[in-house]
Amino acid sequence: MKKILAIIAIITSLAISTVLLIDNTTHADKGDSGTGGDLSSKCSHYCTSWGAGWHKQTHDVFSSWAYDTAATGASPAKKAEIINRCAETPYIYRLSFERSNNRGHSFVANQFAGLVEVGKNVPYKSDIAEDWDQVHAHFKLAELHGVTSTTWENTAWFCYDPEWEPPCDPNVEECETEPESESGHGYFWSTSKVEAVSSGDVPSGIEALSEEDGEAEIKFSTDQASVNIKFTHNMGYTSTTEFGDNDQVDDAETEWTVYQSDSSGSLVESDKKFTAEDGKTKAATAVKDSPQVTVPLEAGQTKTVCQTIVYEPKYITYTKTSHAATATDEAYDEYTDPTGSGSGRSSVCATITRPSIPDSGDGTDGTGSTSSNIMFAGEQAEISWSVSGNNTDTRRLREWEAVVYRIPVNITHSVSLYTGSKGAQNGNQPNSVCSWYKSHDYCAILNGRNGSFGENGNSHSYNESASIVVPDTVGYKYCNSFGYRYEYWWYSSSGGGWHKDKSYWRVHDSACRTIAKKPSVAIWNGGVMTAGGATTSSASRFDNAVMGKESSDGGTKTLFGSWTEYLGVIGRNVNSFASGSSFAIGSKNLSAPKSNPLSINNSPLTIANKNRLGSSGVLNNSTYFTRLTTFLESRADRPGGNTLSAMENVPDTRILRYDGNLKISGNITTNPGNYNSIYSIPQVVIFVHGNLEIASNVTRIDAWLIADGKINTCSEFEPGVTEADAIARLRDTCNSQLVFNGPVLAKSMDLRRSFGSDPLVTRHGTFGSASNKHAAGEVFNLRADTYLWAYAQAGRYDSSYTESYSRELAPRY
């Protein structure tokens, strides 16, 4: 059996008394008084039931009880303290931990009071425990006399005096409502009303009215820092004697006191007198409107505030004197010297809850801002939720939604795009999660539930993830969020029980990730040779990338990436770079080329060495570079400056040299006319002793580029600022296709163009439409005119073709 440990503490309140608290829980939910039923019929030997039972003890019994044998029970010091506090009362009620089985009933030693688990039955049978309802009634009397300050649910002992009981309770069927007497008499009565003052999220109509000498209560919740409660008490008098018209009846009087109890203790109003003038008939009631009580509430607090009207006496008896008729007066009875007995009371309470933030956890996987991880168009991404919500009787869970939505690229960023609603106190409540986020062009429920779930006190949690297909809308935001719908409920003991007031959605902040793409580069009619490595990206994309579709239903995929038409001679690692035109229109082989482990997929013309794809062993062909310098650069013109503007339709051969960094700011094209011989073919050769930058507006360079440093294909590129080529883009930067028609030599290259890889953009480049997923951002094209021009140069400048260097290459695939 699972053990439940009870933590016992003393809470000091009024100077009159203290009340013992048990683990800040509700004992009424944990046990019963011993009247919960018989033992199970299936028990044939030793089946034990456990529970909590109330016992009324004299001071002597309480002091000497054998089961208080350790600190976990009532230690001698603790018992002495309790006896001292109950010195004016003959009895002490205590809650004990008990067990019952086929061998009999017994107490659990060392336990002053114990608890069992929530929801567990306690069907033990005890003939020695007090009736639970009777104890509760006696507790109310103790509360009335100001010797308790905690609620019934949090009380483990209290002082008691039988003299507090009224001689008769008219609400009990066996009790007579009138004292036996032949004299005239009547009785007083009281009713009490409690109502919540409408304000903010507290509606009108939350009220309860007690019956005569009865009790009533209301329960509700609020998100406000305080609420006002109004109490009204009525006193009345009813004659139970049938008087004659001429009878004379003295006034009947009683005195009332209004007690108020809440978290701050008891507040006793001054005594007031109520007089039933000429007590023949039911007297008009006297109304006592108490000042409104302001109840402050912290988030997560529940408070109960009560008022009780107590009056004495309740019953009135007269002395009757009969007078005979005279010549002038008719006979009549005179009722004098009214005497009173008994007492009465009516009580009302309001229990108010201010929930803490009703749900918790990270609603989405991400920070809910533009700094969240990006998503790549057409690929698969993971989104997740980890949330929980609490269900209470006054704030009930009724619906939840896990949603995805999309924000167009032309929507200016603001926190409202991903900030959820703050709960019930927000006046602009959504009807759903999708209706809260206004700027989307698509929103759908990926998962959800409508209807009651989770009973009072239980919580609901949603810890799920989903693999989704990322749509092709590059530059848009893909967001996912979560929301709970709560309902306000309030209770009136005299007004039909529970009532639904309204509902609201609490929507979590969402996580929004920008949809990006992976542009590619293509090398036509030639190959690539580098002493370093080749690092590009590959994209395994769904052929039909539909928004809100889970990847399990995404359909077929194609792998796209950067490639060379012929040989790849790469000195170091290969990462996703293909050869042999493998990615020319995409590959159905979804394995991207990687250096380690050895991979030949999509790399049929890549040199491999040392059991690795790459590591070709070919580092540098200095002879080739020397010959270019000797036969071409020595004849170059030196225009000076650091910018080369457009050169359109160049009709001849031009060799240029720049000492220092250079920026090409316009297209360089050769004349496409007809030529009589290969010696007339135009060509442009540019030597750069520094770094070479190319402006974003440049789309074509018909030239040899030979640079000592780095080549940057878009000089305006800014990390974190430059946008990808997308529909409805905010800026046109680095999104045009750039074509090189000629050899390119450099120390390194930064390929910055974002053209292509986007099926929704309809613009065209020099080679290929941007609507094709395989269209490249940069194309390096070694045209036939380059070969013919180079051959022609062998007969010029005192040069000739001779074999000066040869090497056997490693295997290629």
Side-chain angles (χ1 to χ4, degrees), residues 221-223 298-302 353-358 392 394-395 504:
S221 65
T222 181
D223 291 291
E298 299 290 339
Q301 277 190 329
T302 295
T353 299
R354 182 186 177 190
S356 57
I357 295 177
T392 65
T394 58
R395 200 66 66 88
Y504 70 94

Side-chain angles (χ1 to χ4, degrees), residues 19-334:
V19 176
L20 196 64
L21 301 180
I22 303 177
D23 200 20
N24 198 29
T25 55
T26 305
H27 65 228
D29 291 339
K30 318 298 186 185
D32 205 343
S33 61
T35 58
D38 296 327
L39 292 171
S40 172
S41 60
K42 297 181 180 180
C43 292
S44 58
H45 295 291
Y46 192 78
C47 296
T48 300
S49 298
W50 307 77
W54 282 102
H55 295 271
K56 184 171 71 174
Q57 298 175 336
T58 64
H59 285 229
D60 290 340
V61 174
F62 178 83
S63 178
S64 60
W65 208 32
Y67 296 98
D68 294 329
T69 59
T72 54
S75 63
K78 179 58 62 183
K79 287 189 288 187
E81 178 186 349
I82 296 173
I83 290 173
N84 179 62
R85 292 181 178 277
C86 297
E88 302 299 324
T89 61
Y91 292 101
I92 299 170
Y93 271 107
R94 68 184 299 157
L95 192 63
S96 66
F97 194 28
E98 307 174 19
R99 60 186 167 217
S100 184
N101 52 54
N102 290 4
R103 297 184 181 181
H105 180 89
S106 61
F107 298 98
V108 179
N110 305 329
Q111 291 290 337
F112 182 80
L115 306 177
V116 293
E117 293 180 68
V118 175
K120 299 293 185 181
N121 294 322
V122 284
Y124 72 96
K125 184 176 182 180
S126 171
D127 295 328
I128 61 174
E130 299 289 336
D131 178 76
W132 197 269
D133 293 332
Q134 183 64 41
V135 177
H136 185 217
H138 288 177
F139 171 80
K140 286 294 186 181
L141 291 173
E143 184 180 49
L144 181 63
H145 284 78
V147 297
T148 62
S149 63
T150 62
T151 63
W152 163 246
E153 291 81 2
N154 290 329
T155 302
W157 67 269
F158 61 91
C159 312
Y160 178 68
D161 190 338
E163 291 186 0
W164 294 338
E165 297 187 49
C168 183
D169 185 353
N171 293 318
V172 179
E173 185 178 350
E174 293 79 7
C175 180
E176 297 180 1
T177 59
E178 302 177 9
E180 293 184 4
S181 171
E182 293 182 358
S183 302
H185 56 271
Y187 66 89
F188 290 97
W189 50 265
S190 69
T191 61
S192 297
K193 179 182 179 181
V194 59
E195 56 187 312
V197 178
S198 177
S199 175
D201 62 354
V202 179
S204 60
I206 301 180
E207 61 183 37
L209 177 66
S210 74
E211 296 179 349
E212 291 185 4
D213 289 3
E215 297 179 354
E217 65 174 333
I218 59 174
K219 299 178 182 178
F220 65 96
S221 65
T222 181
D223 291 291
Q224 300 173 156
S226 65
V227 294
N228 291 324
I229 304 298
K230 182 179 179 182
F231 294 95
T232 306
H233 306 281
N234 290 345
M235 279 296 306
Y237 176 81
T238 299
S239 173
T240 57
T241 297
E242 197 172 322
F243 297 102
D245 292 339
N246 296 325
D247 291 345
Q248 298 178 4
V249 185
D250 286 349
D251 297 339
E253 291 185 342
T254 191
E255 291 187 350
W256 72 24
T257 302
V258 177
Y259 295 87
Q260 178 179 307
S261 63
D262 57 16
S263 58
S264 63
S266 296
L267 175 64
V268 181
E269 291 193 352
S270 59
D271 292 345
K272 296 186 179 296
K273 186 173 292 185
F274 174 61
T275 301
E277 297 179 356
D278 188 10
K280 290 183 179 182
T281 59
K282 182 173 181 178
T285 60
V287 178
K288 170 58 182 174
D289 285 326
S290 299
Q292 292 185 10
V293 177
T294 300
V295 182
L297 294 159
E298 299 290 339
Q301 277 190 329
T302 295
K303 289 186 178 180
T304 299
V305 58
C306 302
Q307 281 195 2
T308 301
I309 179 173
V310 181
Y311 60 93
E312 187 176 352
K314 177 176 178 62
Y315 303 105
I316 299 297
T317 302
Y318 293 93
T319 297
K320 176 181 177 181
T321 303
S322 298
H323 297 273
T326 65
T328 58
D329 297 313
E330 297 180 0
Y332 68 96
D333 293 327
E334 185 178 10

Side-chain angles (χ1 to χ4, degrees), residues 475-503:
Y476 283 50
K477 299 287 191 303
Y478 192 110
C479 306
N480 63 297
S481 187
F482 187 92
Y484 280 117
R485 182 172 68 86
Y486 292 86
E487 287 180 349
Y488 281 86
W489 285 72
W490 59 270
Y491 172 81
S492 170
S493 60
S494 65
W498 286 101
H499 304 265
K500 184 179 76 171
D501 173 29
K502 58 186 176 183
S503 67

Side-chain angles (χ1 to χ4, degrees), residues 625-626 628-630 632-642 655-663 685-693 704-711 745-747:
F625 190 82
T626 300
L628 286 175
T629 303
T630 301
L632 297 179
E633 187 178 11
S634 61
R635 292 167 172 80
D637 295 328
R638 301 191 182 193
N642 56 8
I655 303 175
L656 306 175
R657 171 177 169 171
Y658 291 86
D659 295 317
N661 297 333
L662 175 67
K663 180 177 181 179
V685 180
I686 303 172
F687 291 89
V688 179
H689 292 286
N691 296 326
L692 173 61
E693 290 189 343
W704 296 45
L705 299 178
I706 305 155
D708 294 345
K710 176 175 65 177
I711 295 179
L745 288 82
K747 185 176 181 179

